[in-house]
Amino acid sequence: MPDHSPRAVPIRETLAGKRILLTGATGFLGQVWLAMLLTRLPEIGRIFVLVRPKGTQTARDRVEEMVNHSPVFAPLHEAHGAGLSAYVSDHIEVLEGDAVRSGLGLDAGIQAHLHQRLDLVVHCAGLIDFNPDLRKAIANNVDATLNVAAFTRACNDAALVHISTCYVAGSRQGLVKEALTPTEAPTGDAFDPRAEYAEIRAEIAAGCEALLSDAARAEIAERVVRGMEKRGIPPEVTAVAENLKIGYEKRWLKERMKELGTAHATRWGFRNIYTYSKFLAEGMLLAEAGDLRLTIIRPSIIESALDFPLPGWNQGLNASAPIVHLGGTWFRFFPSRRALVFDVIPVDLTCNAMTTAAAALLLGEHAPVYQIATSTRNPLTMDRMVDMTMLGHRRWLRRNSESWLDRQVKSRWDPVVVEPDHPLRMENLARGAGFLAGLIERLPADLPQPVRELTERIGAMAKNSGFVFDQIDRILKAFGPFIYDDHYTFEAIAIDRHQPVEPEFAFATESIEWRDYWVNIHMPGLRRWVWPTINGHEIEPQEPEHRFRLQARTPAPRPASSRPGAQPRRQVLGGARQSAQ
Amino acid sequence: MEARPVAFFRVEGTLLARGALRASAFFAVNARGFRERALKLGQVAAIAPFALALGQNDRTTANRAAYMVCRGMSEDRIALLSEEYFEESIRDSLMESGIRLIERSRDQGFAIVLLSEALSFIAERIAAHLGPVEHLLANRLELKSDLATGRLLDPVVGGFETGRWVRSFAAERNIDLPRSRAYAANGPDLMLLAAVGEPCAVNPDFTLRRAAKEADWPVVYYDA
């Protein structure tokens, strides 16, 4: 019988001198993990950071900007001051590439160089939009995973940590075991990842070709005509018509891809394209892994940091931020199920678990999968989350708002948890507002002036409100799987097998005091780092005292397989100027 | 180890003029949802006459009645509203003269013990505000699955039990009661004052005023 009693894992000793390739370093989780390694493990050998160029920015530009302006790196700035550039340049190398491309989009010489040197690959990159264009979901979540796996397999001796999500569980109820079930869909049907992958790729190709069909062309032509009429532009202005046509073609294809993705997701028991694509990625990874040393990490909803890099640090609008923000508005009826567990995990605890699992993998003591979650260890119910959200908003409004209405009324305007089919749900309110606006538009034109003005004002309010209700409805539907559809909890015991020798890497979810976390850490963090973007504002910029610049290092030795006399291309930037040397 | 003296302060009367009823009204008006607020305000209105009538002689029952209003409220809500109640209604109302009494006792080497009828969530903030406090005895709500049942756990502060509690507390902590002092304002605190060597009636009610006079205890009056 396998021995699952906890064993000490010496993280510092295990990771000292190791060379790691990290994808997704510019994302929420990847950034924090990178900063954590640089802060807590100066003994680490080298972190190769794979970054895409973006617009006019090179990968190097992006990394420099990130280290200079992201609050994640503030502790490093504080610790190293003017020495930060040297310290970071000694520890990282920036690779301009793309996991979506074969060979990670890297020059063959660089690939060969890395194949010989890497100890570990951590694949953190992915597309986390719930319902993106299917092409993007497959490319970023499946193809990229396969490319990373292939790259790792080609290494002499590297292991792979793949970041997935707990929500590959799909639509189901009850306890989700911490196990890999790549050939069983959430519906209970047998699932063949390779067959599904082939089918989805074929359907994507067919979908793209369908754009050229007579039906598609007719539909787009009609949209162009309507679009021109709406803008009051005569049909003979062909330049505008052509631009509109290009835009409508893109939109048409995107809509078809979303329909296709949703159909496949639904068929297999997933609530959205994201979770479907991550499940497919896991399945394909396991199908193609061969003898690759591999572990899969499935975090639940990654949220604000408890402590590292800063209490409350958060980034992006894809987790609880939009719905928690709603609690501070006049929105009242919150569709949810009171006893449903809302599984959130602070980002720094996620990184602790990643580091521990990575060390265990290198020691050969790892589990095949880790679910990094709180729902079975320290559950937070929806009812409690809604109540604390309201109380957190109340405290802020009473202390900070200049409006009497906000301080005395809105602060007490508690949302109530209702069933999703409540008569006053957003969908009905949006419909009602739209009906009212339409009714007002159809009023006779010969009304007395004061009446006309009043009805026009009411009509405008109804129209705006309808728009707002519709937006809120979309948000609630997107979050439906987390707040009312699926009532499950995630087993999370594999990580307990490993007891980090270094206490700063402990995965102590039981010690999270939810009230303190939610009201004193998480909500202030959202208010500072995330919600400004909802209102179209910028996040407060961080301006370091000493600007970080990637510096040249001593070139690495040329691998034996490189062609004699070949001049290396300048593709490895920053820490190592010369590639494949 | 030598027994040491302690200064006991009954918060209500020496530091605060207000009692449990006002706090329970605050919780009622800030309960979750409009319906619950209306119900709980009705409860407070029904309880108020009894609580006020009982206040002189049976503060234990008065406190139990007042805090029944918290039944069904989450611990989170009670804790966060308590913070707000302290900030908005208590902090600036703490009587300076009472605070000076505490500081003087501390300077004279007495450890400070606070006894309060307020809920522990509120009393803890009072204690934190007043500087180092050796122990705080306050009223604790019974919680089941993070919801208040409306019942208080024993010992309930406010009645004669406080005097009995002081004796067992002193025995446990090696406290020299004859060298200790106590400040209180209400009739039911007679047992507390009688337990120590240096009792002092502060702003005493009718019952305590008469008892203090008969026992020749010092009496202090202040309102700020």
Side-chain angles (χ1 to χ4, degrees):
Chain A
M1 194 157 168
D3 177 13
H4 291 315
S5 51
R7 294 179 68 169
V9 174
I11 293 187
R12 188 156 281 118
E13 181 189 308
T14 307
L15 292 177
K18 292 296 187 284
R19 289 162 293 236
I20 302 174
L21 172 68
L22 171 65
T23 72
T26 57
F28 176 36
L29 178 63
Q31 265 193 55
V32 176
W33 196 64
L34 175 62
M36 185 179 277
L37 292 189
L38 291 171
T39 304
R40 293 181 182 172
L41 296 173
E43 307 88 352
I44 204 104
R46 203 106 177 107
I47 308 168
F48 296 90
V49 175
L50 184 78
V51 177
R52 285 176 184 160
K54 191 174 180 182
T56 55
Q57 281 189 312
T58 64
R60 175 200 179 114
D61 293 337
R62 291 186 73 197
V63 171
E64 285 184 347
E65 185 185 338
M66 179 176 79
V67 176
N68 278 317
H69 298 300
S70 171
V72 171
F73 296 92
L76 276 165
H77 278 278
E78 201 175 307
H80 295 276
L84 181 70
S85 293
Y87 175 78
V88 174
S89 300
D90 273 346
H91 286 80
I92 76 168
E93 281 188 32
V94 177
L95 306 175
E96 183 159 297
D98 190 345
V100 167
R101 294 164 58 191
S102 169
L104 308 186
L106 296 171
D107 179 79
I110 297 172
Q111 289 186 55
H113 173 75
L114 293 169
H115 289 158
Q116 288 198 355
R117 298 172 67 78
L118 287 178
D119 300 294
L120 184 69
V121 176
V122 178
H123 180 46
C124 216
L127 187 65
I128 56 173
D129 295 353
F130 286 164
N131 284 304
D133 183 323
L134 180 63
R135 291 171 293 174
K136 287 187 179 176
I138 297 300
N140 285 282
N141 291 343
V142 188
D143 297 343
T145 300
L146 293 174
N147 292 334
V148 168
F151 181 90
T152 312
R153 272 203 313 276
C155 291
N156 288 358
D157 190 25
L160 173 62
V161 174
H162 171 64
I163 308 300
S164 181
T165 172
C166 276
Y167 295 93
V168 295
S171 170
R172 64 178 77 200
Q173 313 299 320
L175 177 69
V176 177
K177 299 289 278 180
E178 198 168 25
L180 294 170
T181 54
T183 55
E184 184 188 331
T187 51
D189 297 326
F191 183 85
D192 181 344
R194 285 193 173 110
E196 178 69 10
Y197 184 51
E199 183 180 323
I200 201 77
R201 289 181 65 146
E203 290 189 18
I204 287 173
C208 293
E209 281 179 22
L211 181 62
L212 304 170
S213 69
D214 291 339
R217 285 184 195 204
E219 188 183 329
I220 290 166
E222 198 187 321
R223 281 196 197 181
V224 170
V225 166
R226 283 205 305 267
M228 300 280 280
E229 279 171 10
K230 195 174 170 183
R231 289 162 176 78
I233 299 171
E236 53 270 19
V237 181
T238 52
V240 172
E242 192 54 36
N243 276 341
L244 282 177
K245 179 170 167 271
I246 292 170
Y248 287 136
E249 279 175 353
K250 281 185 182 169
R251 203 185 301 178
W252 186 93
L253 201 47
K254 195 172 172 182
E255 285 163 10
R256 295 285 101 60
M257 289 296 122
K258 270 197 182 178
E259 282 168 13
L260 182 62
T262 302
H264 273 261
T266 306
R267 173 184 162 192
W268 295 112
F270 295 95
R271 298 284 183 187
N272 54 49
I273 296 171
Y274 166 66
T275 50
Y276 158 74
S277 68
K278 293 296 277 185
F279 179 77
L280 182 57
E282 277 196 17
M284 282 304 298
L285 176 60
L286 291 165
E288 303 291 319
D291 59 358
L292 182 61
R293 286 180 297 142
L294 162 70
T295 190
I296 294 177
I297 294 183
R298 294 173 176 164
S300 59
I301 303 172
I302 303 177
E303 282 293 1
S304 306
L306 262 171
D307 179 57
F308 184 93
L310 310 160
W313 166 250
N314 204 322
Q315 190 179 357
L317 277 173
N318 283 317
S320 72
I323 54 175
V324 176
H325 182 261
L326 273 181
T329 64
W330 292 102
F331 167 67
R332 182 147 168 75
F333 296 106
F334 196 95
S336 182
R337 304 198 196 283
R338 288 175 171 261
L340 192 147
V341 177
F342 192 61
D343 195 319
V344 297
I345 181 79
V347 64
D348 45 349
L349 290 192
T350 308
C351 291
N352 284 357
M354 275 169 68
T355 312
T356 303
L361 177 62
L362 290 173
L363 291 170
E365 296 172 2
H366 60 287
V369 62
Y370 297 90
Q371 294 191 153
I372 307 304
T374 53
S375 46
T376 48
R377 302 167 71 108
N378 186 358
L380 170 64
T381 62
M382 276 304 305
D383 190 54
R384 191 176 179 196
M385 187 275 269
V386 171
D387 200 23
M388 289 193 297
T389 296
M390 187 56 230
L391 292 163
H393 280 298
R394 175 193 169 107
R395 185 163 79 172
W396 191 88
L397 287 168
R398 291 176 74 83
R399 284 180 181 174
N400 297 284
S401 181
E402 290 175 3
S403 149
W404 179 91
L405 195 66
D406 280 357
R407 286 198 312 276
Q408 300 301 336
V409 182
K410 199 185 206 179
S411 67
R412 293 183 167 98
W413 195 256
D414 294 356
V416 289
V417 176
V418 297
E419 286 295 311
D421 59 358
H422 191 273
L424 290 176
R425 61 186 182 274
M426 275 300 130
E427 191 184 334
N428 284 354
L429 291 179
R431 222 177 267 151
F435 175 76
L436 180 61
L439 200 64
I440 287 173
E441 271 177 16
R442 290 192 291 276
L443 287 174
D446 56 355
L447 289 172
Q449 183 67 9
V451 175
R452 163 177 280 290
E453 279 175 10
L454 177 65
T455 53
E456 279 174 3
R457 263 207 306 274
I458 294 172
M461 274 174 56
K463 207 167 178 181
N464 285 341
S465 300
F467 176 74
V468 169
F469 294 150
D470 193 51
Q471 293 294 308
I472 294 173
D473 190 45
R474 284 171 200 269
I475 290 172
L476 292 174
K477 284 196 165 97
F479 281 91
F482 306 116
I483 63 177
Y484 58 76
D485 285 331
D486 299 318
H487 194 157
Y488 46 37
T489 54
F490 299 108
E491 184 182 56
I493 53 176
I495 196 69
D496 293 334
R497 269 193 243 168
H498 317 299
Q499 298 297 307
V501 164
E502 298 82 359
E504 61 267 34
F505 290 106
F507 183 68
T509 52
E510 289 82 358
S511 66
I512 299 174
E513 202 290 284
W514 286 118
R515 180 166 66 243
D516 179 51
Y517 173 74
W518 202 264
V519 176
N520 296 327
I521 297 174
H522 178 49
M523 286 182 70
L526 291 178
R527 200 176 293 282
R528 189 174 175 197
W529 306 116
V530 179
W531 289 342
T533 60
I534 291 179
N535 300 320
H537 301 310
E538 294 285 326
I539 307 295
E540 58 186 87
Q542 306 292 299
E543 289 301 334
E545 194 182 333
H546 304 280
R547 280 197 71 79
F548 164 72
R549 289 220 175 277
L550 278 162
Q551 294 172 352
R553 283 179 70 247
T554 306
R558 182 191 287 273
S561 61
S562 63
R563 291 172 287 130
Q567 292 300 312
R569 277 196 281 143
R570 285 179 176 275
Q571 195 163 5
V572 177
L573 303 176
R577 281 276 179 84
Q578 304 293 328
S579 65
Q581 288 194 348
Chain B
M1 198 160 67
E2 192 186 333
R4 57 205 171 85
V6 161
F8 296 93
F9 286 83
R10 275 284 281 113
V11 172
E12 288 73 25
T14 64
L15 287 157
L16 274 180
R18 56 201 59 165
L21 201 58
R22 190 173 170 131
S24 65
F26 176 82
F27 288 125
V29 90
N30 291 295
R32 187 174 173 182
F34 302 126
R35 184 172 156 271
E36 204 174 313
R37 286 171 200 165
L39 281 170
K40 288 191 183 296
L41 275 172
Q43 270 181 283
V44 172
I47 289 167
F50 298 104
L52 288 167
L54 288 166
Q56 281 273 320
N57 297 304
D58 190 356
R59 292 177 78 92
T60 301
T61 305
N63 288 335
R64 287 191 195 276
Y67 288 125
M68 277 170 60
V69 157
C70 294
R71 180 185 157 96
M73 290 182 78
S74 69
E75 185 185 352
D76 293 326
R77 183 161 284 260
I78 294 169
L80 289 165
L81 287 177
S82 295
E83 176 190 271
E84 190 178 309
Y85 184 67
F86 171 76
E87 286 173 5
E88 295 185 4
S89 299
I90 291 188
R91 183 172 49 200
D92 295 338
S93 302
L94 292 169
M95 291 190 273
E96 274 300 320
S97 301
I99 295 175
R100 279 201 296 275
L101 279 176
I102 289 179
E103 288 168 354
R104 194 170 73 186
S105 293
R106 203 179 271 135
D107 290 341
Q108 290 170 346
F110 287 83
I112 307 299
V113 173
L114 299 181
L115 301 108
S116 174
E117 293 169 35
L119 287 182
S120 54
F121 297 103
I122 298 171
E124 280 159 11
R125 293 188 185 277
I126 296 173
H129 183 72
L130 294 172
V133 165
E134 167 150 336
H135 191 79
L136 166 69
L137 180 69
N139 281 322
R140 295 166 301 145
L141 279 168
E142 182 186 51
L143 296 164
K144 284 194 176 154
S145 305
D146 298 327
L147 296 177
T149 62
R151 288 189 288 274
L152 293 178
L153 295 170
D154 290 325
V156 177
V157 180
F160 294 101
E161 293 86 1
T162 314
R164 280 193 281 272
W165 176 84
V166 162
R167 290 186 189 280
S168 62
F169 176 76
E172 274 169 33
R173 302 274 186 118
N174 194 27
I175 288 166
D176 187 347
L177 282 178
R179 287 200 295 135
S180 295
R181 55 179 59 160
Y183 299 85
N186 302 301
D189 294 321
L190 270 169
M191 281 186 69
L192 164 66
L193 292 172
V196 299
E198 295 180 28
C200 178
V202 176
N203 305 320
D205 61 12
F206 175 78
T207 308
L208 184 59
R209 191 165 55 243
R210 204 169 63 176
K213 189 179 173 187
E214 285 179 17
D216 200 22
W217 290 341
V219 178
V220 173
Y221 291 95
Y222 54 76
D223 57 8

